[in-house]
Amino acid sequence: MKKLLTLVLALTTLALVGCGGGADNAGKSEKVVKVGASPVPHAEILEVIKPELEKDGIKLEIVEFNDYVQPNLATNDKEIDANFFQHEPYLKNFITEHPELKLANVLGVHVEPMGIYSHKIKNINEVKDGAQVSIPSDPTNGGRALLLLERAGLLKLKDGVGAAATVQDVVDNPKKLVFKEIEAPQLPRTLDDVDISVINTNWAMQADLVPTRDALFMEDKTSPYVNILVVRQGDENRPEIQALMKALHSEAVKNFINEKYKGAIIPAF
Protein backbone atom coordinates (compact mmCIF):
# COMPACT_ATOMS: atom_id res chain seq x y z
CA MET A 1 0.00 0.00 0.00
CA LYS A 2 2.85 2.31 0.92
CA LYS A 3 4.55 1.59 -2.43
CA LEU A 4 1.31 2.27 -4.28
CA LEU A 5 0.90 5.61 -2.50
CA THR A 6 4.48 6.56 -3.33
CA LEU A 7 3.89 5.71 -7.00
CA VAL A 8 0.70 7.79 -7.11
CA LEU A 9 2.50 10.78 -5.56
CA ALA A 10 5.32 10.46 -8.04
CA LEU A 11 2.95 10.35 -10.99
CA THR A 12 1.04 13.32 -9.63
CA THR A 13 4.27 15.30 -9.29
CA LEU A 14 5.25 14.48 -12.88
CA ALA A 15 1.84 15.51 -14.10
CA LEU A 16 2.07 18.84 -12.30
CA VAL A 17 5.55 19.46 -13.68
CA GLY A 18 4.27 18.68 -17.15
CA CYS A 19 1.35 21.07 -16.73
CA GLY A 20 3.68 23.74 -15.42
CA GLY A 21 5.95 23.41 -18.46
CA GLY A 22 2.94 23.70 -20.75
CA ALA A 23 1.79 26.84 -18.99
CA ASP A 24 5.22 28.40 -19.38
CA ASN A 25 5.20 27.69 -23.13
CA ALA A 26 1.69 28.97 -23.54
CA GLY A 27 2.69 32.17 -21.78
CA LYS A 28 5.29 32.90 -24.45
CA SER A 29 2.95 34.76 -26.80
CA GLU A 30 4.18 35.57 -30.28
CA LYS A 31 4.68 39.17 -31.31
CA VAL A 32 1.76 40.69 -33.23
CA VAL A 33 2.11 43.27 -35.99
CA LYS A 34 -1.05 44.93 -37.26
CA VAL A 35 -0.90 46.40 -40.76
CA GLY A 36 -3.71 48.41 -42.33
CA ALA A 37 -4.14 47.80 -46.05
CA SER A 38 -6.43 48.23 -49.03
CA PRO A 39 -8.02 44.86 -49.90
CA VAL A 40 -6.49 44.66 -53.39
CA PRO A 41 -3.60 44.26 -53.95
CA HIS A 42 -2.05 45.30 -50.65
CA ALA A 43 -3.80 42.80 -48.38
CA GLU A 44 -3.21 40.05 -50.95
CA ILE A 45 0.52 40.82 -50.97
CA LEU A 46 0.64 40.83 -47.18
CA GLU A 47 -0.98 37.39 -47.08
CA VAL A 48 2.04 36.04 -48.97
CA ILE A 49 4.47 36.99 -46.21
CA LYS A 50 2.51 35.61 -43.25
CA PRO A 51 4.32 32.23 -43.24
CA GLU A 52 7.76 33.90 -43.40
CA LEU A 53 6.97 36.16 -40.45
CA GLU A 54 5.61 33.24 -38.46
CA LYS A 55 9.06 31.65 -38.69
CA ASP A 56 10.37 34.67 -36.80
CA GLY A 57 7.65 34.40 -34.16
CA ILE A 58 5.64 37.27 -35.60
CA LYS A 59 1.90 37.08 -36.22
CA LEU A 60 0.79 39.42 -38.99
CA GLU A 61 -2.73 40.79 -38.59
CA ILE A 62 -4.10 42.49 -41.70
CA VAL A 63 -6.70 45.20 -41.06
CA GLU A 64 -8.53 46.10 -44.28
CA PHE A 65 -9.57 49.67 -45.02
CA ASN A 66 -11.69 50.98 -47.89
CA ASP A 67 -10.67 54.61 -47.69
CA TYR A 68 -7.51 56.72 -47.89
CA VAL A 69 -7.83 58.59 -44.57
CA GLN A 70 -8.33 56.17 -41.70
CA PRO A 71 -5.19 54.02 -42.20
CA ASN A 72 -2.85 56.98 -41.56
CA LEU A 73 -4.86 58.16 -38.57
CA ALA A 74 -4.98 54.64 -37.13
CA THR A 75 -1.21 54.24 -37.57
CA ASN A 76 -0.50 57.53 -35.85
CA ASP A 77 -2.89 56.68 -33.00
CA LYS A 78 -1.22 53.27 -32.44
CA GLU A 79 -4.33 51.34 -33.37
CA ILE A 80 -2.19 49.60 -36.00
CA ASP A 81 1.59 49.35 -36.37
CA ALA A 82 1.89 50.22 -40.05
CA ASN A 83 -0.07 50.77 -43.20
CA PHE A 84 0.34 49.73 -46.82
CA PHE A 85 -2.00 51.47 -49.26
CA GLN A 86 -0.53 54.76 -50.48
CA HIS A 87 2.30 56.33 -52.45
CA GLU A 88 4.82 58.97 -51.32
CA PRO A 89 3.12 62.00 -52.94
CA TYR A 90 -0.14 61.13 -51.17
CA LEU A 91 1.62 60.71 -47.81
CA LYS A 92 3.41 64.05 -48.16
CA ASN A 93 0.17 65.83 -49.01
CA PHE A 94 -1.67 64.11 -46.15
CA ILE A 95 0.97 65.19 -43.63
CA THR A 96 0.81 68.75 -44.98
CA GLU A 97 -2.91 68.73 -44.23
CA HIS A 98 -2.42 66.95 -40.87
CA PRO A 99 0.91 68.29 -39.51
CA GLU A 100 0.26 66.73 -36.12
CA LEU A 101 0.84 63.26 -37.58
CA LYS A 102 4.25 61.63 -37.11
CA LEU A 103 4.53 59.11 -39.93
CA ALA A 104 7.46 57.80 -41.95
CA ASN A 105 7.86 56.07 -45.30
CA VAL A 106 10.15 53.07 -44.71
CA LEU A 107 9.84 50.98 -47.87
CA GLY A 108 8.74 51.11 -51.50
CA VAL A 109 7.06 47.90 -52.66
CA HIS A 110 5.24 48.22 -55.98
CA VAL A 111 3.76 50.51 -58.59
CA GLU A 112 0.07 50.43 -59.51
CA PRO A 113 -0.20 52.21 -62.87
CA MET A 114 -3.27 54.45 -62.96
CA GLY A 115 -5.54 53.88 -65.96
CA ILE A 116 -8.35 55.46 -67.96
CA TYR A 117 -11.45 53.23 -68.21
CA SER A 118 -14.81 53.35 -69.95
CA HIS A 119 -18.00 51.35 -70.43
CA LYS A 120 -18.95 53.48 -73.41
CA ILE A 121 -15.95 53.60 -75.73
CA LYS A 122 -13.24 51.14 -76.75
CA ASN A 123 -10.45 53.53 -77.72
CA ILE A 124 -9.11 56.71 -76.16
CA ASN A 125 -9.46 58.43 -79.55
CA GLU A 126 -13.25 57.99 -79.32
CA VAL A 127 -13.65 60.52 -76.51
CA LYS A 128 -16.28 63.01 -77.70
CA ASP A 129 -16.69 66.73 -77.17
CA GLY A 130 -18.32 67.46 -73.83
CA ALA A 131 -17.45 64.02 -72.45
CA GLN A 132 -17.91 63.58 -68.70
CA VAL A 133 -14.77 62.45 -66.87
CA SER A 134 -14.62 61.22 -63.28
CA ILE A 135 -11.31 61.59 -61.43
CA PRO A 136 -10.23 61.05 -57.79
CA SER A 137 -11.26 63.86 -55.45
CA ASP A 138 -8.18 63.68 -53.21
CA PRO A 139 -5.54 66.24 -54.27
CA THR A 140 -2.66 63.88 -55.02
CA ASN A 141 -4.53 61.31 -57.08
CA GLY A 142 -6.60 64.04 -58.72
CA GLY A 143 -3.41 65.70 -59.97
CA ARG A 144 -2.05 62.34 -61.05
CA ALA A 145 -5.24 61.68 -63.04
CA LEU A 146 -5.00 65.04 -64.80
CA LEU A 147 -1.38 64.35 -65.72
CA LEU A 148 -2.46 61.03 -67.23
CA LEU A 149 -5.23 62.73 -69.22
CA GLU A 150 -2.62 65.19 -70.48
CA ARG A 151 -0.34 62.34 -71.55
CA ALA A 152 -3.29 60.80 -73.36
CA GLY A 153 -3.60 64.02 -75.38
CA LEU A 154 -6.97 65.07 -73.97
CA LEU A 155 -5.93 68.32 -72.29
CA LYS A 156 -3.01 70.58 -71.40
CA LEU A 157 -2.04 71.69 -67.91
CA LYS A 158 -0.32 74.85 -66.74
CA ASP A 159 3.44 74.49 -67.15
CA GLY A 160 5.26 73.14 -64.12
CA VAL A 161 2.18 72.36 -62.04
CA GLY A 162 2.98 68.63 -61.92
CA ALA A 163 1.18 66.31 -59.50
CA ALA A 164 -0.30 69.31 -57.66
CA ALA A 165 -2.55 70.00 -60.64
CA THR A 166 -6.25 70.69 -60.14
CA VAL A 167 -9.00 71.16 -62.69
CA GLN A 168 -8.33 74.91 -62.39
CA ASP A 169 -4.88 74.27 -63.86
CA VAL A 170 -6.29 72.98 -67.16
CA VAL A 171 -5.27 75.67 -69.67
CA ASP A 172 -6.36 73.87 -72.84
CA ASN A 173 -9.45 71.64 -72.96
CA PRO A 174 -10.18 71.19 -76.68
CA LYS A 175 -12.91 68.60 -76.11
CA LYS A 176 -14.52 70.65 -73.34
CA LEU A 177 -14.34 67.74 -70.93
CA VAL A 178 -16.60 68.00 -67.88
CA PHE A 179 -14.84 66.84 -64.71
CA LYS A 180 -16.51 65.07 -61.79
CA GLU A 181 -14.36 64.68 -58.69
CA ILE A 182 -15.32 61.50 -56.82
CA GLU A 183 -13.79 59.64 -53.87
CA ALA A 184 -11.29 57.17 -55.34
CA PRO A 185 -12.95 53.94 -54.09
CA GLN A 186 -16.24 54.96 -55.73
CA LEU A 187 -14.83 55.66 -59.21
CA PRO A 188 -15.58 52.21 -60.71
CA ARG A 189 -19.26 52.76 -59.84
CA THR A 190 -19.33 55.87 -62.02
CA LEU A 191 -18.46 54.04 -65.25
CA ASP A 192 -22.10 53.75 -66.33
CA ASP A 193 -22.69 57.45 -65.71
CA VAL A 194 -19.59 59.05 -67.27
CA ASP A 195 -17.75 58.64 -70.56
CA ILE A 196 -14.36 57.87 -69.03
CA SER A 197 -12.99 57.49 -65.52
CA VAL A 198 -9.41 57.67 -64.25
CA ILE A 199 -9.06 54.93 -61.65
CA ASN A 200 -6.29 53.71 -59.36
CA THR A 201 -5.36 50.12 -60.11
CA ASN A 202 -6.29 48.77 -56.68
CA TRP A 203 -9.87 50.04 -56.96
CA ALA A 204 -10.08 48.94 -60.60
CA MET A 205 -9.02 45.40 -59.72
CA GLN A 206 -11.41 45.28 -56.79
CA ALA A 207 -14.18 46.03 -59.31
CA ASP A 208 -13.01 43.10 -61.50
CA LEU A 209 -11.40 45.35 -64.08
CA VAL A 210 -8.15 44.02 -65.53
CA PRO A 211 -5.87 47.01 -66.17
CA THR A 212 -3.81 45.42 -68.93
CA ARG A 213 -7.01 44.36 -70.69
CA ASP A 214 -9.60 47.01 -69.84
CA ALA A 215 -7.69 50.29 -69.53
CA LEU A 216 -7.84 52.56 -72.58
CA PHE A 217 -4.62 54.26 -71.50
CA MET A 218 -2.21 53.57 -68.60
CA GLU A 219 0.84 54.91 -66.84
CA ASP A 220 3.97 53.01 -67.75
CA LYS A 221 6.77 51.57 -65.60
CA THR A 222 8.34 55.01 -65.15
CA SER A 223 5.54 56.09 -62.81
CA PRO A 224 6.90 57.83 -59.68
CA TYR A 225 3.93 56.66 -57.60
CA VAL A 226 5.50 53.72 -55.76
CA ASN A 227 3.25 52.22 -53.07
CA ILE A 228 4.95 52.32 -49.69
CA LEU A 229 4.97 50.87 -46.20
CA VAL A 230 4.36 53.57 -43.57
CA VAL A 231 5.00 53.45 -39.81
CA ARG A 232 5.04 55.87 -36.90
CA GLN A 233 8.22 57.92 -36.62
CA GLY A 234 10.49 56.18 -34.15
CA ASP A 235 9.25 52.68 -35.01
CA GLU A 236 11.47 52.27 -38.07
CA ASN A 237 14.01 50.06 -36.26
CA ARG A 238 11.61 47.89 -34.30
CA PRO A 239 12.62 44.25 -34.97
CA GLU A 240 9.06 43.40 -36.07
CA ILE A 241 9.01 46.28 -38.57
CA GLN A 242 12.45 45.31 -39.89
CA ALA A 243 11.22 41.74 -40.38
CA LEU A 244 8.12 43.03 -42.16
CA MET A 245 10.24 45.15 -44.49
CA LYS A 246 12.57 42.25 -45.29
CA ALA A 247 9.64 39.96 -46.06
CA LEU A 248 8.00 42.51 -48.37
CA HIS A 249 11.20 42.71 -50.43
CA SER A 250 11.52 38.94 -50.79
CA GLU A 251 11.66 36.97 -54.02
CA ALA A 252 8.39 35.34 -52.97
CA VAL A 253 6.63 38.72 -53.07
CA LYS A 254 8.26 39.71 -56.36
CA ASN A 255 7.22 36.41 -57.96
CA PHE A 256 3.70 36.68 -56.57
CA ILE A 257 3.23 40.19 -57.99
CA ASN A 258 4.55 39.20 -61.41
CA GLU A 259 2.53 35.99 -61.62
CA LYS A 260 -0.71 37.21 -60.04
CA TYR A 261 -1.07 40.63 -61.64
CA LYS A 262 0.75 40.06 -64.95
CA GLY A 263 2.00 43.59 -65.46
CA ALA A 264 -0.97 45.41 -63.96
CA ILE A 265 1.18 45.85 -60.85
CA ILE A 266 4.96 46.15 -61.01
CA PRO A 267 7.50 45.34 -58.27
CA ALA A 268 9.54 48.38 -57.26
CA PHE A 269 12.53 46.43 -55.96
Side-chain angles (χ1 to χ4, degrees), residues 43-164:
E44 294 178 342
I45 293 171
L46 288 170
E47 287 287 349
V48 174
I49 66 173
K50 276 186 173 182
E52 188 63 30
L53 291 175
E54 285 177 1
K55 293 178 184 177
D56 295 329
I58 299 170
K59 180 181 179 182
L60 174 60
E61 288 188 8
I62 303 168
V63 182
E64 293 190 3
F65 289 87
N66 283 295
D67 75 286
Y68 284 165
V69 175
Q70 294 306 312
N72 278 333
L73 300 180
T75 303
N76 187 75
D77 294 343
K78 299 185 178 182
E79 295 172 11
I80 55 178
D81 298 290
N83 67 60
F84 179 36
F85 76 97
Q86 65 193 316
H87 46 63
E88 177 74 8
Y90 179 84
L91 176 65
K92 286 182 177 179
N93 185 76
F94 195 89
I95 291 176
T96 298
E97 295 179 348
H98 302 82
E100 73 280 5
L101 302 186
K102 305 299 180 183
L103 301 174
N105 166 14
V106 292
L107 192 73
V109 181
H110 68 274
V111 176
E112 301 174 13
M114 183 174 266
I116 301 173
Y117 297 84
S118 178
H119 280 175
K120 298 181 179 179
I121 61 174
K122 300 296 184 183
N123 190 293
I124 196 69
N125 297 323
E126 297 173 10
V127 175
K128 297 179 181 179
D129 290 351
Q132 296 192 49
V133 184
S134 59
I135 64 173
S137 59
D138 63 276
T140 304
N141 284 300
R144 181 182 180 184
L146 291 168
L147 285 172
L148 185 60
L149 291 166
E150 182 177 50
R151 287 189 58 195
L154 295 174
L155 54 82
K156 181 172 175 50
L157 295 167
K158 186 186 302 181
D159 288 342
V161 70

